[in-house]
Each structure stands twice: as structure tokens, then as C-alpha cells.
Amino acid sequence: VASADVVVCVGDTVRFGLLYRPSGNIVWTGPNGFLSDLEEIEFTSSGTAQSGMYVVRMESTPGCFSVPDTVWVRVDTIPVMNGSIQGSPVVCWNEHSVSFSIPPVNTASQYVWSIPQGTVLTSGANSNAITIDLSGWTAGVGGVSVTASNFCGSVASGVFSLTRDLAIPVPNISALTPTQVCVGTPVTLESSQPPGGLRISWNRDGVAIPGANQLTYSPTQDGLYQVSFLNSLNCASELSNGIQVNINAYPQSLVSIQGTTNPCGGQSVMLAGTPAMGATEQ
């Protein structure tokens, strides 16, 4: 029977051995090729190379072994952080849930996060990645940090600075032309003027249109068009009122003739047009 499992720090003395020794030869095996026939094993200045499972058996005659017993040894180092906190440094006014992470610390057994007052940790407790709820956070500036620790000590990250942006005025748009038109007929929409420092972003069906950032916009597709204002931190306002634009294709009809195309006096010719959905004939 071997003594209890143990966790120590680099440089500590580790000693373990047999609680009961029957007759026979002792055979210890362990990590990194460890082999011994001693009753008691001692590492006076342990290192991480000594971490692992040690197995002891008794050999009565060559090749005949007892049931083995094991003891686990873990030699820890003080945690070392190999990276910094990752996440967005800016929280827009309408964001309520944000995530932060730090590269895993190999020897850490515990993570303790410090988050701004008024926020709530919603997931990732004792983890290298967290999500926090900022619904109750009204401060403009705050910080996030983490401490990783184990049996041997702890290490703290730097403070990750966090800025909560203010609400942005909501724009308004209007139509300068009819918005129910036929293909080829121009449509023009206009946004209200953005306050100083803000810029325009046109949206179609809730998706930003690349490059559409002028005061007016001319749609070429059906859709619900809106505008948001963006600030220098790339935070967006609520979307403006929406204007539905419908650009209709011209109806097409085929004419067929029933009867002769060279009628004599008194004969009639029937002309028929193929109906187009939503159209009337003339």
C-alpha cells in the first residue's frame, strides 16, 4: 500500500513509500522512466518531471507480481500568464451581454474575475472565459481583471479598460419620390442630417448596405429601407422609421390569333392576350 496522493510546489521535498511490506522484491515504476526498489522514495528538490503516477508491486519470484498500488504526485509551478485579456474595449449603449477571455494558464486550478460594479457574471465562474451582463452598469468607464491561482501561488492580469458608450440620436428618413415604381424609374430616399461626429449607414431589411453612407440613397431592389447613425466608436443608434420600396417589373403578354389571319368580308378574327398577374389589359 502506498501513501496518499500529494500536490507540492517546485523545489519542495516529496516523500512517499510503503505502509506495509510483505516479502518479496519492491518494484516501483513512474514517470519519465522512473524505476526503484526502495521502500521509501524521496525527491529533495522536486520538479515538474516528477509529476505523474507511481506504481508499486511486489515480486515474489521472477515474473510473479502482486496486485499493484498507485500514488499520484503533482508538482506545480506558480501560475504564469502567457497572454492578456481579450474582448471588446467598447460596449455600445444597446449591448447587454459581453464576453472576455484570457489564454488558459496551464497550472491554474482557480480563476477569480473582477468585473465593474453594477455588472453580473452570467457564465464562466472559475474559468478563463466569462460572459457578463451589463444591464445595470451606468458608469462610463470600468475595468476587468482576473487572478489565476493554484496550490503554489497566484498571478494577476493587468486591468482591461472598458468604456460604455452613450445613447445616439435616432435618425428619420423620408421619400423624395414615389416608392412603388416600375423598373427603371428612379427612387430617392433621404435621411435626416446626422449630428456632428456621426455618420450615416443605410440598411435594407435590417442589414447594412456596404458603402451606403450618404444623405440620400437610390434603391434598386425591393425592401424595407432604414438608416442608423454611427459614431467614432462604431456604435449604432436605433434604426430609423422604415420605408417600403417596391420596384415592379413590366407585365408581359403574348397575343394569339384564333381563326384566319386573312379574313374575307363578313368573317371575324379573335385576338387573345395571355393575362399577366396583377395587370389589366388594354
Side-chain angles (χ1 to χ4, degrees):
V1 180
S3 54
D5 299 345
V6 65
V7 179
V8 298
C9 300
V10 168
D12 287 347
T13 295
V14 180
R15 185 182 300 112
F16 54 93
L18 305 185
L19 300 179
Y20 167 69
R21 189 203 190 292
S23 61
N25 299 318
I26 301 171
V27 181
W28 284 98
T29 57
N32 299 307
F34 177 81
L35 183 66
S36 176
D37 59 0
L38 302 176
E39 285 193 31
E40 187 175 86
I41 308 300
E42 181 178 85
F43 303 117
T44 56
S45 184
S46 61
T48 55
Q50 275 80 54
S51 290
M53 183 178 71
Y54 292 81
V55 180
V56 63
R57 298 182 295 174
M58 302 303 298
E59 185 181 38
S60 57
T61 57
C64 293
F65 292 96
S66 69
V67 174
D69 194 27
T70 61
V71 59
W72 279 94
V73 174
R74 193 175 85 228
V75 184
D76 275 348
T77 59
I78 295 176
V80 176
M81 287 189 180
N82 296 314
S84 55
I85 294 176
Q86 302 296 312
S88 174
V90 177
V91 180
C92 294
W93 64 273
N94 56 350
E95 289 183 284
H96 301 298
S97 182
V98 294
S99 298
F100 302 94
S101 65
I102 197 163
V105 180
N106 290 336
T107 61
S109 58
Q110 185 177 28
Y111 295 88
V112 177
W113 287 85
S114 174
I115 58 179
Q117 185 174 5
T119 66
V120 177
L121 182 67
T122 56
S123 67
N126 195 23
S127 167
N128 68 303
I130 62 168
T131 300
I132 62 176
D133 181 2
L134 300 103
S135 301
W137 188 41
T138 56
V141 178
V144 176
S145 62
V146 62
T147 298
S149 61
N150 64 10
F151 176 81
C152 300
S154 62
V155 61
S157 72
V159 176
F160 183 86
S161 182
L162 198 59
T163 300
R164 177 129 189 153
D165 194 32
L166 301 176
I168 302 171
V170 181
N172 182 71
I173 62 172
S174 57
L176 302 183
T177 62
T179 56
Q180 310 294 318
V181 298
C182 297
V183 171
T185 304
V187 176
T188 302
L189 307 177
E190 183 178 54
S191 167
S192 56
Q193 189 73 37
L198 301 181
R199 63 188 191 278
I200 290 172
S201 175
W202 285 90
N203 292 254
R204 174 178 172 263
D205 294 334
V207 179
I209 304 169
N213 53 17
Q214 301 300 310
L215 202 62
T216 59
Y217 183 73
S218 297
T220 57
Q221 294 177 281
D222 290 354
L224 180 69
Y225 289 85
Q226 296 168 285
V227 159
S228 61
F229 288 157
L230 303 178
N231 64 13
S232 59
L233 299 176
N234 224 33
C235 291
S237 69
E238 290 185 3
L239 288 171
S240 70
N241 60 304
I243 294 180
Q244 180 66 41
V245 173
N246 290 105
I247 299 176
N248 302 294
Y250 286 98
Q252 295 182 351
S253 179
L254 297 175
V255 176
S256 61
I257 299 175
Q258 297 177 11
T260 178
T261 57
N262 296 288
C264 297
Q267 291 182 311
S268 64
V269 178
M270 178 67 73
L271 306 178
T274 303
M277 184 178 295
T280 57
E281 290 78 26
Q282 181 177 5

